[in-house]
Amino acid sequence: MLTRRGVLKAFGGLVAAGLSSSAYAVGVEPLLRLRTTTYRISPPGWPEGQKLRIVALADIHACEPWMSARRIGDICRHANDLRGDIVVLLGDYLSSMRAVWGKVPPAAWAAALSTLQAPLGVHAVLGNHDWWDDHDAQAIGGGETFSHRALRDAGIAVYSNSAARIETTTGAFWLAGLEDQIALRPGRQWNRYGYVGLDDLPGTLARVTDEAPVILLAHEPDIFPQVPARVSLTLSGHTHGGQVRLFGYSPMVPSAFGNRFAYGHVVEDGRHLCVSGGLGCSIAPVRFGSPPEIMVVELG
């Protein structure tokens, strides 16, 4: 028989469970957990026997206390221990969250990222927050941001609708990087009605001048339906896996495609996409079921 005391105990248990879950989502998973997720892929167009180990970091969102320069440095040391052939950074180094104690200056987070090491170098694209938080770049409607400059000053190659041919001991490949797809916020006279992207997929791929395979870096995964089969692999971030992920589903995903490209290894029409769950937080310092991660992709 259900008594008043039993109802109160059950209610108290639910409240305690809710408080515990909230504390975990704010104080434990975003700050204290870090996982490595590895995908082993042999996509069409990637030569058999051409080995490549990619270590990918996405969505750092530097800020105090959630992603301090010290914590970024710790993540970079862990990334170095994974011994990738190449390291790629998938954008969003800045944070727009209001629930912060303070900002991390670009020089500080870039200095932490400068400790990343790989035989084939460290390569980066920018994300939407790197554009949104640069008021001068927004006012001009393009050009480059202080994140472009901070990364270059740290010795990191930055791709803005550009591509580079990279030679390895087992064969060459092209690394192509798109500029952000929602870089400019609405509000300016020339940009009243919606976000404007600065990405140029056809122009970027036109820089590929031979038959070597192509890896594409694109901060937002929403470009993927337009990516041709010529590209062996697309790497993206942006979604954070939804930040809250239950049983493989995220209630809120910053993508026009919802959960279709929210997280993980996606194969469509023989084309391959890997979406990182990212490292930092956006909007709110909450992660539940989607801990910060470093993504590793092994090709060949």
Side-chain angles (χ1 to χ4, degrees):
M1 180 177 178
L2 191 63
T3 64
R4 181 172 180 271
R5 184 177 181 181
V7 170
L8 290 174
K9 286 179 67 177
F11 178 73
L14 289 173
V15 170
L19 291 173
S20 297
S21 297
S22 298
Y24 172 83
V26 174
V28 177
E29 191 161 303
L31 282 169
L32 302 179
R33 290 196 61 189
L34 178 64
R35 71 180 177 189
T36 300
T37 303
T38 302
Y39 304 102
R40 295 177 176 88
I41 303 172
S42 296
W46 189 266
E48 184 178 353
Q50 184 167 330
K51 305 292 186 181
L52 186 69
R53 180 175 170 87
I54 306 166
V55 173
L57 280 63
D59 302 290
I60 290 167
H61 291 295
C63 63
E64 296 282 0
W66 311 107
M67 188 62 71
S68 65
R70 180 176 179 178
R71 186 177 180 212
I72 296 170
D74 290 341
I75 290 170
C76 290
R77 281 187 285 276
H78 184 69
N80 287 339
D81 290 342
L82 296 173
R83 299 189 179 280
D85 299 311
I86 189 171
V87 174
V88 298
L89 305 175
L90 299 174
D92 271 4
Y93 312 97
L94 304 181
S95 173
S96 300
M97 280 196 305
R98 294 184 178 181
V100 300
W101 295 353
K103 293 184 177 296
V104 177
W109 56 253
L113 292 174
S114 72
T115 63
L116 289 166
Q117 297 177 349
L120 300 178
V122 183
H123 308 259
V125 292
L126 264 62
N128 55 302
H129 285 278
D130 304 310
W131 281 96
W132 292 358
D133 285 10
D134 190 320
H135 302 297
D136 291 338
Q138 291 293 310
I140 294 169
E144 67 174 21
T145 69
F146 51 73
S147 291
H148 285 95
R149 295 187 290 271
L151 289 165
R152 280 204 307 268
D153 290 346
I156 296 170
V158 184
Y159 292 68
S160 178
N161 298 324
S162 56
R165 191 176 192 274
I166 299 175
E167 297 277 356
T168 78
T169 57
T170 58
F173 68 94
W174 287 87
L175 188 67
L178 290 184
E179 195 48 85
D180 193 69
Q181 300 157 53
I182 48 174
L184 304 179
R185 288 177 176 240
R188 300 285 175 182
Q189 184 174 356
W190 43 265
N191 181 25
R192 289 182 178 177
Y193 304 112
Y195 293 98
V196 172
L198 297 177
D199 56 302
D200 180 2
L201 180 60
T204 301
L205 296 181
R207 295 175 178 269
V208 175
T209 58
D210 62 25
E211 297 304 311
V214 180
I215 297 171
L216 178 68
L217 310 182
H219 177 66
E220 293 91 358
D222 285 21
I223 194 71
F224 186 60
Q226 303 173 44
V227 176
R230 174 70 179 89
V231 175
S232 295
L233 174 65
T234 302
L235 300 176
S236 295
H238 181 65
T239 62
H240 303 196
Q243 274 186 211
V244 174
R245 192 165 182 81
L246 303 171
F247 307 108
Y249 176 81
S250 300
M252 294 182 64
V253 181
S255 166
F257 297 96
N259 274 264
R260 180 176 168 186
F261 305 138
Y263 176 72
H265 180 205
V266 178
V267 182
E268 291 187 356
D269 301 323
R271 298 169 303 117
H272 289 250
L273 165 72
C274 288
V275 183
S276 170
L279 292 158
C281 296
S282 182
I283 301 177
V286 172
R287 278 184 177 262
F288 190 87
S290 182
E293 75 170 17
I294 297 173
M295 182 170 70
V296 176
V297 181
E298 296 182 350
L299 294 174

